[in-house]
Amino acid sequence: MTSRRPRMVAALVSGVALALTLTACAQGSATRSDAAADSTSAGPTTVRYMNFSANDGHEADLTAIVAAFEAANPGITVQVETIPYADYFTKLQTAVAGGTASDAFELNYENFVTYAANGTLAELKGVDSGTYKESLLTAFTNDKLQYGLPESFSNVVLFYNKALFDAAGIAAPTSSWTWADEKKAAEALTNKATGVWGDYQPVSFHEFYKALAQSGGEFFNADKTKATFASPQGIEAATWLVAKSGSSMPTEADGAGTADFDTNLFKQGKLAMWHSGIWMFSGLSAVPDLSWDIAVEPGNTQKASAMFTNGVVVSAASKHKEAAQKWIEYLTASDTTVTTRLKTAWELPPVDESKLGAYLDITPPTNRQAVFDSLDAVVLPPVIESQQEMQDVVTEELGNAAAGRKSVDQALTDAQTRVNALLG
């Protein structure tokens, strides 16, 4: 999935130091040690909130949600600090270590796993679970206890070119498709003479752990002390990705893996099927005469869709846990938040689709219901302390297999050995 909003936050990386300085001056610091802000004896309770996702375009949207919350909760004031993503986790780590972390703060899923395990987060009690999509809410638990709330999500679906399918007389993808159905259609739709390819699914870490789950495999053992993906299921998953290259999918030599290669190919009507994220909807909708739709991604022995999600949490050190939880519940699931996110395309709120009729009514794609159907069987990324190194290792070794430099078996074995070395 090139053009992916990597780990749901690619658009946030472009923040600059000046934006951080101006935001801190205008809004105050949510990580400072401020006795007055902590005092509840005079005036309202102040909840300090630090985030990254409002940066670079959604600051006003967050301000509107804060204003609505404060109007509904006159005893609570929310003090916001918005940090560019590139700087966010360094600043957060420093604040947590120094005992100055904000009362509530934002985490992507990968970092939530780490913070939930080290005692930094307060358990959230009395959460109305019926408000949230179950798979999203479950993502922010640790040892079956709720330590965060889902704030927003994106996921991956199967895009397809309706015109190419219709011209070939091939039935469009459905939610019941398997890998075998996708392979058959991709091969039939590939026409190298005209530059039309049947499929595109990046040979990468993110596609591999998903395909592994679709084959019933596990990335780690039960206590996550050892990588186990070089299994028969892993070989089947890697082979599924690698075998497409050069047959129904373009190779590295054709440009695969370069920036926006797959996006441009699909926009040009030269790609029949494409595994990518729902963040591509707006860009594709702007392309004249492009006839496309989506379906839930095919599975192998079972379904498993990739989901990328941000959440919000309460610091275990907060003096205002109750007020902070009230704030994050409003931020994640209030009608104001839902309306604001849908109106401004600020990712999708984590609520049940029954509250998202306005989103489902937007076309294209016609089958937006597939976005929510994909949440019925999701797989979250495996997480370790050396996250980026692990991702790079797996992608590199899969690339070796795709290019014919190694067999699939050898590439997976080597990747697993290298990941185990990262685990220590």
Side-chain angles (χ1 to χ4, degrees):
M1 288 165 285
T2 58
S3 303
R4 179 193 292 283
R5 183 188 59 96
R7 275 59 82 195
M8 291 192 66
V9 287
L12 306 175
V13 180
S14 60
V16 295
L18 178 59
L20 171 58
T21 302
L22 292 176
T23 299
C25 290
Q27 298 177 315
S29 172
T31 56
R32 68 182 179 181
S33 178
D34 190 336
D38 284 339
S39 175
T40 58
S41 59
T45 298
T46 297
V47 170
R48 296 172 296 128
Y49 173 62
M50 191 168 81
N51 81 102
F52 56 80
S53 67
N55 179 65
D56 200 21
H58 291 287
E59 295 88 346
D61 301 327
L62 180 56
T63 296
I65 295 171
V66 168
F69 171 78
E70 291 178 343
N73 298 272
I76 306 174
T77 296
V78 179
Q79 183 184 69
V80 174
E81 184 176 15
T82 299
I83 309 294
Y85 182 77
D87 305 317
Y88 183 83
F89 288 101
T90 298
K91 186 175 180 67
L92 177 61
Q93 184 178 24
T94 300
V96 168
T100 62
S102 55
D103 298 290
F105 51 90
E106 186 175 36
L107 291 172
N108 60 357
Y109 170 75
E110 290 88 339
N111 280 286
F112 167 79
V113 172
T114 298
Y115 279 90
N118 67 15
T120 300
L121 310 182
E123 180 188 351
L124 305 180
K125 299 180 180 180
V127 173
D128 182 2
S129 59
T131 301
Y132 303 93
K133 188 74 175 177
E134 182 180 2
S135 57
L136 290 164
L137 188 64
T138 301
F140 291 94
T141 60
N142 184 53
D143 290 335
K144 299 183 178 179
L145 300 178
Q146 201 73 47
Y147 283 99
L149 296 178
E151 178 191 25
S152 63
F153 77 94
S154 291
N155 56 6
V156 176
V157 292
L158 182 70
F159 291 73
Y160 65 93
N161 184 303
K162 295 169 65 176
L164 289 176
F165 272 83
D166 290 344
I170 298 175
T174 70
S175 60
S176 64
W177 266 31
T178 65
W179 287 359
D181 297 308
E182 182 178 344
K183 181 176 185 291
K184 182 179 179 181
E187 291 175 347
L189 288 162
T190 297
N191 186 335
K192 297 180 184 179
T194 61
V196 173
W197 293 94
D199 206 352
Y200 192 85
Q201 185 171 12
V203 182
S204 67
F205 166 82
H206 282 278
E207 292 300 325
F208 173 70
Y209 78 72
K210 178 180 60 181
L212 177 65
Q214 290 170 349
S215 289
E218 297 288 344
F219 200 92
F220 293 123
N221 60 3
D223 58 4
K224 297 184 179 180
T225 58
K226 183 179 180 181
T228 57
F229 56 77
S231 60
Q233 296 91 340
I235 292 171
E236 189 172 21
T239 300
W240 162 247
L241 296 176
V242 168
K244 297 181 185 185
S245 187
S247 56
S248 61
M249 188 173 85
T251 65
E252 287 182 0
D254 297 314
T258 58
D260 297 326
F261 171 81
D262 48 346
T263 303
N264 293 332
L265 201 63
F266 194 82
K267 286 181 176 180
Q268 293 162 6
K270 297 291 188 179
L271 183 57
M273 290 180 287
W274 182 32
H275 295 256
S276 192
I278 63 174
W279 49 88
M280 298 304 305
F281 286 179
S282 59
L284 295 179
S285 298
V287 180
D289 303 320
L290 182 64
S291 177
W292 61 281
D293 209 340
I294 63 169
V296 176
E297 286 189 286
N300 186 25
T301 61
Q302 61 187 30
K303 291 286 189 181
S305 295
M307 178 176 71
F308 304 94
T309 180
N310 293 330
V312 283
V313 300
V314 173
S315 171
S318 171
K319 298 178 182 178
H320 306 298
K321 294 183 181 67
E322 184 176 346
Q325 180 172 334
K326 185 174 290 188
W327 156 240
I328 66 173
E329 288 177 337
Y330 190 93
L331 173 64
T332 55
S334 68
D335 289 343
T336 297
T337 293
V338 171
T339 300
T340 300
R341 283 191 173 277
L342 294 183
K343 182 179 179 180
T344 63
W346 187 15
E347 303 223 336
L348 281 174
V351 297
D352 189 85
E353 58 261 37
S354 62
K355 293 186 177 182
L356 301 176
Y359 177 79
L360 291 172
D361 290 340
I362 302 170
T363 58
T366 301
N367 186 27
R368 283 190 179 235
Q369 182 60 43
V371 173
F372 302 104
D373 291 345
S374 295
L375 297 179
D376 292 338
V378 300
V379 57
L380 291 160
V383 177
I384 65 172
E385 185 175 346
S386 302
Q387 184 69 14
Q388 190 60 54
E389 292 92 331
M390 176 179 70
Q391 294 175 185
D392 291 344
V393 162
V394 174
T395 297
E396 177 190 334
E397 293 294 356
L398 288 172
N400 286 333
R405 292 185 288 269
K406 294 183 181 181
S407 68
V408 170
D409 291 29
Q410 188 61 55
L412 272 194
T413 298
D414 290 348
Q416 181 170 285
T417 299
R418 294 172 66 184
V419 170
N420 280 329
L422 294 174
L423 291 171

